[in-house]
Every structure is written in structure tokens, then in C-alpha cells.
Amino acid sequence: MVFCGHCQDDCPYVKDPDNGIICCGICGKVLDPNIYDDGPSFVKDSSGQSRLRGSIIKAIEDGCSISRERTEAKGRDEIWQIVHGLHVSGGDDIICTAHNFYKLALDNSFTKGRQTSHVAAACLYIACRRGEKPYLLIDFSDYLHISVYVLGAVFLQLCQVLLLGEHPIVQKLVDPSLFIHRFTERLLGKRNNAVSDTALCIVASMKRDWMQTGRKPSGLCGAALYIAALSHGYDYTKADIAAVVHVCEATLFKRLIEFESTDSGSLTIEDFLAKAYEETVPKCSAKYGEVLCEHKDKGAEHFSHGLCEECYDNFTELSGGLEGGADPPAFQQAEKHRQDAAKRSKETAVVEETLCELNSSDVEDNIMTPWKVEVSEHT
């Protein structure tokens, strides 16, 4: 079974006997363009000597060499150290999942030329995304004391090698609510359900106002945590929040300004919480239409807005639903720019029209004045 981006599911695969490529057994999409052959072939190198072409992929029944076992054990130790260093929950399950990804990376020779800790961190991050753990890629880079861009490049290359580029593990949006409890504990040094619940309500309000669209979850979590901490009497600066959620103060300030421009931003914390606990996302009734979601080829019934009921519930949970809320901040900014441009063009047109009228009146005065003088001389 392999994941097919077109079918959006784990599907049986078919190996093309003529070309040696791997295709989806349902829709026929080419999943792996690499050509596999049962027999060896040889090519000549620059020195004229013959060498084996490609690489040999060993079967499971062939067993593992001592070097392979040592490499796998080293990768598992790296994963174990990162898990315990970052206090990742899940125990042996998350370690085994990450180690399985690491063994797949070994099968594709992905560890050659790369540090074991980098590959182990990338595998563990994929496992955390799969298990919806509240960890960002920058958390792993901070633990390893490397640049997040270096680790991000390893992660993207690993996803490409493992054919995970179109998998929901990578493509699915990250819910900012997952990180609230962890960021709260890092900021306060202890668990505080009151601050976390207030921050979750603020994040839910941001979702309804489309603030999560096109933005990283850390910025939204930072703004929500800053407001929640101040509302409960904690005196933390923006720099303290930025250090916890790994964003700069300018980004945090922008998220606060965007939240201030919403309807919820003008309320007191008491009114906001009272309104938040009263509001519930309305459950719409099923409507007739065409299914356009990932389950369109599986006989799913249409529920609303081109989605089946499962996809609609997932969308509502992540975005806060379509009911209520304000326009997206980017749309508000663009609309403001359009209104300002229209206002400036209108003012410019009025000024030009006034100047034209003044010029016309001056010309008329210049024409009429000599005629009046001539008439007075004749009289």
C-alpha cells in the first residue's frame, strides 16, 4: 500500500513490467518514476572500466549486516535523546514511528552525506506531525543548535524521497490550538488551565476572523497567549512571549494589531469570554450538490459547500466555520488600499476640474476685458 495524491488514500500499487515504474493500482498515477530491474546492468565510467549501474535493494529475508544494524541503532539512540530532551509525549510509540521513517531513509540512502541527528530530527518531526504533537520544526533546530533552514531543507528532501509531498501529514494545516498548553507551560513554568482556556477562546475567535489563513500558528499563539496572560494579571512583555513562541516582536505586534481591528478586539475580557462561551459553531443541514472533496470518488454524499460531512466537520474545527467573523485581514488591507486609491483619484479629479474652471474663467476675463475698453472709448 502506498499513498496516492490523486486518490488521497493508501492504495495498492502496480509495478509496470515494461518500464519498471510504480503506479497507483486504482487511478494509474505514477508514484515512483525510478526504474527497478531484477537483473544487474553495467556501464563504463570515465576511466573506461565497467561498474554496476544503480544500487542493489536487499529484500527483508536477506537480513541486515552488522553495519546496517549499527546504523539503525545509532539513529534510534538519536531519536531517543531528542524525545527525552524535548519531553515529547508518546513514549515508545513515537520513537518506533520515527525509527521506521529513519529505516526508510536508510533504504533510500538518504543518510549519506548528512548528519545522523539531522535525519533523526526530521523523522521525529514527521512522526509528530502524524500524531498531532504540539512541536514545531524550530523546536528541534533549537535543541540541535542548528539553523531551522538547514533542518527544514533536510525535512523537505526527506518528504520528497519518501513520497510524502502530497500526503496529509505534510499538506494538512496545523491547528494553532495544539500549541497553546505547551506554550503556556513554557511561559509560566507550570500548567495553568485558566490562561490556556482564555488563549484557546482567543484563537477560536481568530479562526472565525480568518486570521489563521496564510499565517504560521506560532504568531497566533503568541498574540493569544500575550492577551490571556495580561488578562489574568501576569506582567509579561512582548519580548518574553516572542522568546517562547519563536517569533520576532514585529510579527507579534502585527498579529495584535490585526486582532484589535476585529469586533472581538474592542471588547473587554469579561465580555469577550461571556460571548465566547455563548457562541457555538452552528451545524448546518445537508444540502444537495456535487462532492468536490477528496472523497468524491468514494461514493460520499454531499453535505455542504462541495464537501462531505467528514471534510466539512474537519474544516469547521480548523477554521471556526463560515458563520460570523470578519473579513480576512489581507482582504481588509486590500480593501482599505482600494478605498484610499479611489478617494485620492476622486480628490485629484476634483482639483483638476477646479483648475480647469479657473483657467476657463481667466481666459474669458482676458477676452472680455479689451472689448469693454474699446466700447468705452467709442462712447
PDB file of all heavy atoms in Angstrom, residues 197-234:
ATOM      1  N   ASP A 197      -7.245  28.207  28.674  1.00  0.00           N
ATOM      2  CA  ASP A 197      -8.617  28.269  28.162  1.00  0.00           C
ATOM      3  C   ASP A 197      -8.918  29.630  27.546  1.00  0.00           C
ATOM      4  O   ASP A 197      -9.583  29.723  26.505  1.00  0.00           O
ATOM      5  CB  ASP A 197      -9.607  27.972  29.289  1.00  0.00           C
ATOM      6  CG  ASP A 197      -9.511  26.535  29.774  1.00  0.00           C
ATOM      7  OD1 ASP A 197      -8.945  25.706  29.035  1.00  0.00           O
ATOM      8  OD2 ASP A 197      -9.985  26.248  30.893  1.00  0.00           O
ATOM      9  N   THR A 198      -8.433  30.695  28.186  1.00  0.00           N
ATOM     10  CA  THR A 198      -8.642  32.030  27.612  1.00  0.00           C
ATOM     11  C   THR A 198      -7.926  32.169  26.275  1.00  0.00           C
ATOM     12  O   THR A 198      -8.477  32.721  25.311  1.00  0.00           O
ATOM     13  CB  THR A 198      -8.138  33.105  28.585  1.00  0.00           C
ATOM     14  OG1 THR A 198      -8.803  32.956  29.846  1.00  0.00           O
ATOM     15  CG2 THR A 198      -8.404  34.499  28.041  1.00  0.00           C
ATOM     16  N   ALA A 199      -6.704  31.660  26.208  1.00  0.00           N
ATOM     17  CA  ALA A 199      -5.959  31.717  24.944  1.00  0.00           C
ATOM     18  C   ALA A 199      -6.639  30.891  23.862  1.00  0.00           C
ATOM     19  O   ALA A 199      -6.664  31.288  22.687  1.00  0.00           O
ATOM     20  CB  ALA A 199      -4.528  31.233  25.170  1.00  0.00           C
ATOM     21  N   LEU A 200      -7.217  29.755  24.233  1.00  0.00           N
ATOM     22  CA  LEU A 200      -7.932  28.934  23.251  1.00  0.00           C
ATOM     23  C   LEU A 200      -9.166  29.656  22.719  1.00  0.00           C
ATOM     24  O   LEU A 200      -9.484  29.560  21.522  1.00  0.00           O
ATOM     25  CB  LEU A 200      -8.334  27.600  23.886  1.00  0.00           C
ATOM     26  CG  LEU A 200      -7.203  26.600  24.139  1.00  0.00           C
ATOM     27  CD1 LEU A 200      -7.717  25.399  24.921  1.00  0.00           C
ATOM     28  CD2 LEU A 200      -6.585  26.142  22.825  1.00  0.00           C
ATOM     29  N   CYS A 201      -9.862  30.376  23.588  1.00  0.00           N
ATOM     30  CA  CYS A 201     -11.014  31.163  23.133  1.00  0.00           C
ATOM     31  C   CYS A 201     -10.580  32.260  22.164  1.00  0.00           C
ATOM     32  O   CYS A 201     -11.262  32.543  21.171  1.00  0.00           O
ATOM     33  CB  CYS A 201     -11.738  31.771  24.331  1.00  0.00           C
ATOM     34  SG  CYS A 201     -12.564  30.573  25.403  1.00  0.00           S
ATOM     35  N   ILE A 202      -9.439  32.877  22.439  1.00  0.00           N
ATOM     36  CA  ILE A 202      -8.935  33.928  21.552  1.00  0.00           C
ATOM     37  C   ILE A 202      -8.530  33.338  20.205  1.00  0.00           C
ATOM     38  O   ILE A 202      -8.794  33.922  19.146  1.00  0.00           O
ATOM     39  CB  ILE A 202      -7.755  34.659  22.220  1.00  0.00           C
ATOM     40  CG1 ILE A 202      -8.234  35.374  23.488  1.00  0.00           C
ATOM     41  CG2 ILE A 202      -7.125  35.661  21.266  1.00  0.00           C
ATOM     42  CD1 ILE A 202      -7.113  35.990  24.299  1.00  0.00           C
ATOM     43  N   VAL A 203      -7.892  32.166  20.232  1.00  0.00           N
ATOM     44  CA  VAL A 203      -7.513  31.508  18.976  1.00  0.00           C
ATOM     45  C   VAL A 203      -8.755  31.139  18.167  1.00  0.00           C
ATOM     46  O   VAL A 203      -8.782  31.285  16.935  1.00  0.00           O
ATOM     47  CB  VAL A 203      -6.656  30.262  19.271  1.00  0.00           C
ATOM     48  CG1 VAL A 203      -6.472  29.422  18.016  1.00  0.00           C
ATOM     49  CG2 VAL A 203      -5.296  30.670  19.812  1.00  0.00           C
ATOM     50  N   ALA A 204      -9.799  30.658  18.845  1.00  0.00           N
ATOM     51  CA  ALA A 204     -11.044  30.334  18.145  1.00  0.00           C
ATOM     52  C   ALA A 204     -11.650  31.573  17.500  1.00  0.00           C
ATOM     53  O   ALA A 204     -12.177  31.518  16.380  1.00  0.00           O
ATOM     54  CB  ALA A 204     -12.036  29.698  19.119  1.00  0.00           C
ATOM     55  N   SER A 205     -11.572  32.705  18.193  1.00  0.00           N
ATOM     56  CA  SER A 205     -12.064  33.953  17.610  1.00  0.00           C
ATOM     57  C   SER A 205     -11.221  34.365  16.406  1.00  0.00           C
ATOM     58  O   SER A 205     -11.749  34.860  15.401  1.00  0.00           O
ATOM     59  CB  SER A 205     -12.050  35.061  18.668  1.00  0.00           C
ATOM     60  OG  SER A 205     -12.447  36.294  18.116  1.00  0.00           O
ATOM     61  N   MET A 206      -9.911  34.162  16.491  1.00  0.00           N
ATOM     62  CA  MET A 206      -9.042  34.467  15.351  1.00  0.00           C
ATOM     63  C   MET A 206      -9.377  33.597  14.152  1.00  0.00           C
ATOM     64  O   MET A 206      -9.311  34.046  13.002  1.00  0.00           O
ATOM     65  CB  MET A 206      -7.577  34.268  15.753  1.00  0.00           C
ATOM     66  CG  MET A 206      -7.049  35.279  16.750  1.00  0.00           C
ATOM     67  SD  MET A 206      -5.339  34.921  17.217  1.00  0.00           S
ATOM     68  CE  MET A 206      -4.968  36.326  18.266  1.00  0.00           C
ATOM     69  N   LYS A 207      -9.733  32.346  14.405  1.00  0.00           N
ATOM     70  CA  LYS A 207     -10.118  31.464  13.303  1.00  0.00           C
ATOM     71  C   LYS A 207     -11.364  31.986  12.601  1.00  0.00           C
ATOM     72  O   LYS A 207     -11.438  31.987  11.362  1.00  0.00           O
ATOM     73  CB  LYS A 207     -10.380  30.054  13.832  1.00  0.00           C
ATOM     74  CG  LYS A 207      -9.153  29.298  14.293  1.00  0.00           C
ATOM     75  CD  LYS A 207      -9.575  27.927  14.791  1.00  0.00           C
ATOM     76  CE  LYS A 207      -8.402  27.138  15.310  1.00  0.00           C
ATOM     77  NZ  LYS A 207      -8.824  25.797  15.798  1.00  0.00           N
ATOM     78  N   ARG A 208     -12.344  32.409  13.383  1.00  0.00           N
ATOM     79  CA  ARG A 208     -13.575  32.920  12.777  1.00  0.00           C
ATOM     80  C   ARG A 208     -13.323  34.190  11.981  1.00  0.00           C
ATOM     81  O   ARG A 208     -14.065  34.495  11.046  1.00  0.00           O
ATOM     82  CB  ARG A 208     -14.624  33.181  13.864  1.00  0.00           C
ATOM     83  CG  ARG A 208     -15.210  31.918  14.461  1.00  0.00           C
ATOM     84  CD  ARG A 208     -16.420  32.241  15.326  1.00  0.00           C
ATOM     85  NE  ARG A 208     -16.058  33.013  16.503  1.00  0.00           N
ATOM     86  CZ  ARG A 208     -15.723  32.480  17.670  1.00  0.00           C
ATOM     87  NH1 ARG A 208     -15.691  31.161  17.803  1.00  0.00           N
ATOM     88  NH2 ARG A 208     -15.417  33.240  18.700  1.00  0.00           N
ATOM     89  N   ASP A 209     -12.284  34.929  12.344  1.00  0.00           N
ATOM     90  CA  ASP A 209     -11.946  36.164  11.633  1.00  0.00           C
ATOM     91  C   ASP A 209     -10.881  35.937  10.560  1.00  0.00           C
ATOM     92  O   ASP A 209     -10.276  36.895  10.083  1.00  0.00           O
ATOM     93  CB  ASP A 209     -11.452  37.225  12.626  1.00  0.00           C
ATOM     94  CG  ASP A 209     -12.548  37.667  13.577  1.00  0.00           C
ATOM     95  OD1 ASP A 209     -13.713  37.670  13.154  1.00  0.00           O
ATOM     96  OD2 ASP A 209     -12.246  37.982  14.741  1.00  0.00           O
ATOM     97  N   TRP A 210     -10.607  34.682  10.217  1.00  0.00           N
ATOM     98  CA  TRP A 210      -9.709  34.317   9.116  1.00  0.00           C
ATOM     99  C   TRP A 210      -8.262  34.742   9.366  1.00  0.00           C
ATOM    100  O   TRP A 210      -7.483  34.893   8.419  1.00  0.00           O
ATOM    101  CB  TRP A 210     -10.184  34.934   7.800  1.00  0.00           C
ATOM    102  CG  TRP A 210     -11.502  34.431   7.325  1.00  0.00           C
ATOM    103  CD1 TRP A 210     -12.730  34.897   7.692  1.00  0.00           C
ATOM    104  CD2 TRP A 210     -11.737  33.360   6.412  1.00  0.00           C
ATOM    105  NE1 TRP A 210     -13.720  34.192   7.063  1.00  0.00           N
ATOM    106  CE2 TRP A 210     -13.139  33.237   6.259  1.00  0.00           C
ATOM    107  CE3 TRP A 210     -10.912  32.505   5.694  1.00  0.00           C
ATOM    108  CZ2 TRP A 210     -13.721  32.300   5.429  1.00  0.00           C
ATOM    109  CZ3 TRP A 210     -11.492  31.573   4.865  1.00  0.00           C
ATOM    110  CH2 TRP A 210     -12.879  31.474   4.743  1.00  0.00           C
ATOM    111  N   MET A 211      -7.889  34.926  10.610  1.00  0.00           N
ATOM    112  CA  MET A 211      -6.519  35.360  10.877  1.00  0.00           C
ATOM    113  C   MET A 211      -5.505  34.234  10.716  1.00  0.00           C
ATOM    114  O   MET A 211      -4.307  34.492  10.573  1.00  0.00           O
ATOM    115  CB  MET A 211      -6.424  35.939  12.294  1.00  0.00           C
ATOM    116  CG  MET A 211      -7.045  37.309  12.451  1.00  0.00           C
ATOM    117  SD  MET A 211      -6.818  37.996  14.108  1.00  0.00           S
ATOM    118  CE  MET A 211      -5.032  38.022  14.224  1.00  0.00           C
ATOM    119  N   GLN A 212      -5.959  32.974  10.753  1.00  0.00           N
ATOM    120  CA  GLN A 212      -5.021  31.864  10.627  1.00  0.00           C
ATOM    121  C   GLN A 212      -4.684  31.559   9.179  1.00  0.00           C
ATOM    122  O   GLN A 212      -3.756  30.800   8.902  1.00  0.00           O
ATOM    123  CB  GLN A 212      -5.594  30.612  11.300  1.00  0.00           C
ATOM    124  CG  GLN A 212      -6.408  29.679  10.412  1.00  0.00           C
ATOM    125  CD  GLN A 212      -7.784  30.227  10.077  1.00  0.00           C
ATOM    126  OE1 GLN A 212      -8.142  31.305  10.515  1.00  0.00           O
ATOM    127  NE2 GLN A 212      -8.559  29.491   9.310  1.00  0.00           N
ATOM    128  N   THR A 213      -5.413  32.173   8.237  1.00  0.00           N
ATOM    129  CA  THR A 213      -5.203  31.878   6.824  1.00  0.00           C
ATOM    130  C   THR A 213      -3.874  32.459   6.354  1.00  0.00           C
ATOM    131  O   THR A 213      -3.650  33.665   6.434  1.00  0.00           O
ATOM    132  CB  THR A 213      -6.350  32.462   5.980  1.00  0.00           C
ATOM    133  OG1 THR A 213      -7.592  31.965   6.470  1.00  0.00           O
ATOM    134  CG2 THR A 213      -6.184  32.083   4.521  1.00  0.00           C
ATOM    135  N   GLY A 214      -3.004  31.589   5.870  1.00  0.00           N
ATOM    136  CA  GLY A 214      -1.718  32.027   5.338  1.00  0.00           C
ATOM    137  C   GLY A 214      -0.715  32.459   6.379  1.00  0.00           C
ATOM    138  O   GLY A 214       0.274  33.118   6.044  1.00  0.00           O
ATOM    139  N   ARG A 215      -0.933  32.095   7.635  1.00  0.00           N
ATOM    140  CA  ARG A 215      -0.025  32.509   8.703  1.00  0.00           C
ATOM    141  C   ARG A 215       0.420  31.299   9.510  1.00  0.00           C
ATOM    142  O   ARG A 215      -0.324  30.333   9.653  1.00  0.00           O
ATOM    143  CB  ARG A 215      -0.701  33.532   9.624  1.00  0.00           C
ATOM    144  CG  ARG A 215      -0.876  34.893   8.977  1.00  0.00           C
ATOM    145  CD  ARG A 215      -1.813  35.772   9.780  1.00  0.00           C
ATOM    146  NE  ARG A 215      -1.850  37.124   9.249  1.00  0.00           N
ATOM    147  CZ  ARG A 215      -2.561  37.487   8.196  1.00  0.00           C
ATOM    148  NH1 ARG A 215      -3.291  36.590   7.566  1.00  0.00           N
ATOM    149  NH2 ARG A 215      -2.541  38.729   7.761  1.00  0.00           N
ATOM    150  N   LYS A 216       1.613  31.387  10.047  1.00  0.00           N
ATOM    151  CA  LYS A 216       2.127  30.308  10.873  1.00  0.00           C
ATOM    152  C   LYS A 216       1.416  30.301  12.223  1.00  0.00           C
ATOM    153  O   LYS A 216       1.030  31.350  12.743  1.00  0.00           O
ATOM    154  CB  LYS A 216       3.633  30.463  11.070  1.00  0.00           C
ATOM    155  CG  LYS A 216       4.427  30.327   9.780  1.00  0.00           C
ATOM    156  CD  LYS A 216       5.913  30.471  10.036  1.00  0.00           C
ATOM    157  CE  LYS A 216       6.704  30.324   8.747  1.00  0.00           C
ATOM    158  NZ  LYS A 216       8.160  30.476   8.970  1.00  0.00           N
ATOM    159  N   PRO A 217       1.237  29.131  12.818  1.00  0.00           N
ATOM    160  CA  PRO A 217       0.483  29.062  14.081  1.00  0.00           C
ATOM    161  C   PRO A 217       1.189  29.727  15.251  1.00  0.00           C
ATOM    162  O   PRO A 217       0.537  30.139  16.208  1.00  0.00           O
ATOM    163  CB  PRO A 217       0.326  27.552  14.309  1.00  0.00           C
ATOM    164  CG  PRO A 217       1.434  26.924  13.538  1.00  0.00           C
ATOM    165  CD  PRO A 217       1.652  27.800  12.344  1.00  0.00           C
ATOM    166  N   SER A 218       2.510  29.852  15.197  1.00  0.00           N
ATOM    167  CA  SER A 218       3.232  30.410  16.341  1.00  0.00           C
ATOM    168  C   SER A 218       2.881  31.876  16.574  1.00  0.00           C
ATOM    169  O   SER A 218       2.799  32.331  17.722  1.00  0.00           O
ATOM    170  CB  SER A 218       4.741  30.257  16.132  1.00  0.00           C
ATOM    171  OG  SER A 218       5.126  30.800  14.884  1.00  0.00           O
ATOM    172  N   GLY A 219       2.664  32.643  15.508  1.00  0.00           N
ATOM    173  CA  GLY A 219       2.306  34.047  15.675  1.00  0.00           C
ATOM    174  C   GLY A 219       0.945  34.222  16.319  1.00  0.00           C
ATOM    175  O   GLY A 219       0.759  35.071  17.208  1.00  0.00           O
ATOM    176  N   LEU A 220      -0.030  33.417  15.897  1.00  0.00           N
ATOM    177  CA  LEU A 220      -1.362  33.488  16.501  1.00  0.00           C
ATOM    178  C   LEU A 220      -1.325  33.050  17.960  1.00  0.00           C
ATOM    179  O   LEU A 220      -1.973  33.663  18.819  1.00  0.00           O
ATOM    180  CB  LEU A 220      -2.332  32.604  15.718  1.00  0.00           C
ATOM    181  CG  LEU A 220      -2.532  32.937  14.238  1.00  0.00           C
ATOM    182  CD1 LEU A 220      -3.526  31.978  13.616  1.00  0.00           C
ATOM    183  CD2 LEU A 220      -3.003  34.365  14.065  1.00  0.00           C
ATOM    184  N   CYS A 221      -0.565  31.994  18.234  1.00  0.00           N
ATOM    185  CA  CYS A 221      -0.453  31.531  19.625  1.00  0.00           C
ATOM    186  C   CYS A 221       0.204  32.597  20.500  1.00  0.00           C
ATOM    187  O   CYS A 221      -0.192  32.792  21.655  1.00  0.00           O
ATOM    188  CB  CYS A 221       0.352  30.235  19.677  1.00  0.00           C
ATOM    189  SG  CYS A 221      -0.463  28.823  18.918  1.00  0.00           S
ATOM    190  N   GLY A 222       1.206  33.284  19.960  1.00  0.00           N
ATOM    191  CA  GLY A 222       1.867  34.329  20.733  1.00  0.00           C
ATOM    192  C   GLY A 222       0.935  35.474  21.076  1.00  0.00           C
ATOM    193  O   GLY A 222       0.908  35.954  22.218  1.00  0.00           O
ATOM    194  N   ALA A 223       0.143  35.927  20.092  1.00  0.00           N
ATOM    195  CA  ALA A 223      -0.796  37.013  20.352  1.00  0.00           C
ATOM    196  C   ALA A 223      -1.869  36.592  21.350  1.00  0.00           C
ATOM    197  O   ALA A 223      -2.210  37.343  22.274  1.00  0.00           O
ATOM    198  CB  ALA A 223      -1.441  37.466  19.041  1.00  0.00           C
ATOM    199  N   ALA A 224      -2.405  35.380  21.183  1.00  0.00           N
ATOM    200  CA  ALA A 224      -3.435  34.901  22.109  1.00  0.00           C
ATOM    201  C   ALA A 224      -2.873  34.720  23.517  1.00  0.00           C
ATOM    202  O   ALA A 224      -3.527  35.064  24.510  1.00  0.00           O
ATOM    203  CB  ALA A 224      -4.015  33.583  21.597  1.00  0.00           C
ATOM    204  N   LEU A 225      -1.666  34.200  23.618  1.00  0.00           N
ATOM    205  CA  LEU A 225      -1.063  33.980  24.934  1.00  0.00           C
ATOM    206  C   LEU A 225      -0.718  35.297  25.615  1.00  0.00           C
ATOM    207  O   LEU A 225      -0.847  35.428  26.841  1.00  0.00           O
ATOM    208  CB  LEU A 225       0.189  33.113  24.775  1.00  0.00           C
ATOM    209  CG  LEU A 225       0.863  32.616  26.051  1.00  0.00           C
ATOM    210  CD1 LEU A 225      -0.113  31.810  26.888  1.00  0.00           C
ATOM    211  CD2 LEU A 225       2.084  31.773  25.712  1.00  0.00           C
ATOM    212  N   TYR A 226      -0.307  36.289  24.844  1.00  0.00           N
ATOM    213  CA  TYR A 226       0.019  37.604  25.419  1.00  0.00           C
ATOM    214  C   TYR A 226      -1.232  38.255  26.013  1.00  0.00           C
ATOM    215  O   TYR A 226      -1.211  38.771  27.144  1.00  0.00           O
ATOM    216  CB  TYR A 226       0.625  38.487  24.336  1.00  0.00           C
ATOM    217  CG  TYR A 226       0.951  39.888  24.785  1.00  0.00           C
ATOM    218  CD1 TYR A 226       2.030  40.147  25.621  1.00  0.00           C
ATOM    219  CD2 TYR A 226       0.173  40.966  24.362  1.00  0.00           C
ATOM    220  CE1 TYR A 226       2.332  41.431  26.034  1.00  0.00           C
ATOM    221  CE2 TYR A 226       0.467  42.255  24.768  1.00  0.00           C
ATOM    222  CZ  TYR A 226       1.548  42.483  25.602  1.00  0.00           C
ATOM    223  OH  TYR A 226       1.835  43.761  26.006  1.00  0.00           O
ATOM    224  N   ILE A 227      -2.338  38.210  25.274  1.00  0.00           N
ATOM    225  CA  ILE A 227      -3.583  38.803  25.769  1.00  0.00           C
ATOM    226  C   ILE A 227      -4.106  38.023  26.973  1.00  0.00           C
ATOM    227  O   ILE A 227      -4.563  38.607  27.967  1.00  0.00           O
ATOM    228  CB  ILE A 227      -4.629  38.840  24.642  1.00  0.00           C
ATOM    229  CG1 ILE A 227      -4.124  39.703  23.478  1.00  0.00           C
ATOM    230  CG2 ILE A 227      -5.957  39.373  25.149  1.00  0.00           C
ATOM    231  CD1 ILE A 227      -5.007  39.648  22.249  1.00  0.00           C
ATOM    232  N   ALA A 228      -4.038  36.688  26.902  1.00  0.00           N
ATOM    233  CA  ALA A 228      -4.543  35.868  28.003  1.00  0.00           C
ATOM    234  C   ALA A 228      -3.721  36.069  29.274  1.00  0.00           C
ATOM    235  O   ALA A 228      -4.273  36.140  30.382  1.00  0.00           O
ATOM    236  CB  ALA A 228      -4.535  34.399  27.594  1.00  0.00           C
ATOM    237  N   ALA A 229      -2.403  36.178  29.135  1.00  0.00           N
ATOM    238  CA  ALA A 229      -1.555  36.374  30.314  1.00  0.00           C
ATOM    239  C   ALA A 229      -1.823  37.725  30.968  1.00  0.00           C
ATOM    240  O   ALA A 229      -1.906  37.828  32.203  1.00  0.00           O
ATOM    241  CB  ALA A 229      -0.083  36.250  29.918  1.00  0.00           C
ATOM    242  N   LEU A 230      -1.972  38.767  30.171  1.00  0.00           N
ATOM    243  CA  LEU A 230      -2.263  40.086  30.738  1.00  0.00           C
ATOM    244  C   LEU A 230      -3.635  40.113  31.402  1.00  0.00           C
ATOM    245  O   LEU A 230      -3.816  40.759  32.448  1.00  0.00           O
ATOM    246  CB  LEU A 230      -2.191  41.153  29.645  1.00  0.00           C
ATOM    247  CG  LEU A 230      -0.809  41.459  29.063  1.00  0.00           C
ATOM    248  CD1 LEU A 230      -0.920  42.545  27.995  1.00  0.00           C
ATOM    249  CD2 LEU A 230       0.166  41.895  30.151  1.00  0.00           C
ATOM    250  N   SER A 231      -4.602  39.418  30.821  1.00  0.00           N
ATOM    251  CA  SER A 231      -5.948  39.429  31.397  1.00  0.00           C
ATOM    252  C   SER A 231      -6.015  38.709  32.735  1.00  0.00           C
ATOM    253  O   SER A 231      -6.905  38.983  33.543  1.00  0.00           O
ATOM    254  CB  SER A 231      -6.935  38.783  30.420  1.00  0.00           C
ATOM    255  OG  SER A 231      -6.622  37.417  30.216  1.00  0.00           O
ATOM    256  N   HIS A 232      -5.073  37.815  32.994  1.00  0.00           N
ATOM    257  CA  HIS A 232      -5.050  37.089  34.266  1.00  0.00           C
ATOM    258  C   HIS A 232      -4.021  37.657  35.241  1.00  0.00           C
ATOM    259  O   HIS A 232      -3.683  36.999  36.233  1.00  0.00           O
ATOM    260  CB  HIS A 232      -4.769  35.608  34.022  1.00  0.00           C
ATOM    261  CG  HIS A 232      -5.938  34.866  33.440  1.00  0.00           C
ATOM    262  ND1 HIS A 232      -6.934  34.303  34.211  1.00  0.00           N
ATOM    263  CD2 HIS A 232      -6.287  34.621  32.152  1.00  0.00           C
ATOM    264  CE1 HIS A 232      -7.831  33.727  33.433  1.00  0.00           C
ATOM    265  NE2 HIS A 232      -7.463  33.904  32.172  1.00  0.00           N
ATOM    266  N   GLY A 233      -3.520  38.843  34.963  1.00  0.00           N
ATOM    267  CA  GLY A 233      -2.655  39.524  35.916  1.00  0.00           C
ATOM    268  C   GLY A 233      -1.183  39.233  35.795  1.00  0.00           C
ATOM    269  O   GLY A 233      -0.398  39.661  36.657  1.00  0.00           O
ATOM    270  N   TYR A 234      -0.745  38.538  34.765  1.00  0.00           N
ATOM    271  CA  TYR A 234       0.682  38.260  34.574  1.00  0.00           C
ATOM    272  C   TYR A 234       1.298  39.391  33.751  1.00  0.00           C
ATOM    273  O   TYR A 234       0.772  39.756  32.688  1.00  0.00           O
ATOM    274  CB  TYR A 234       0.886  36.927  33.861  1.00  0.00           C
ATOM    275  CG  TYR A 234       0.480  35.732  34.694  1.00  0.00           C
ATOM    276  CD1 TYR A 234      -0.768  35.139  34.509  1.00  0.00           C
ATOM    277  CD2 TYR A 234       1.328  35.205  35.653  1.00  0.00           C
ATOM    278  CE1 TYR A 234      -1.155  34.041  35.264  1.00  0.00           C
ATOM    279  CE2 TYR A 234       0.953  34.106  36.414  1.00  0.00           C
ATOM    280  CZ  TYR A 234      -0.287  33.533  36.214  1.00  0.00           C
ATOM    281  OH  TYR A 234      -0.664  32.451  36.967  1.00  0.00           O
TER     282      TYR A 234
END
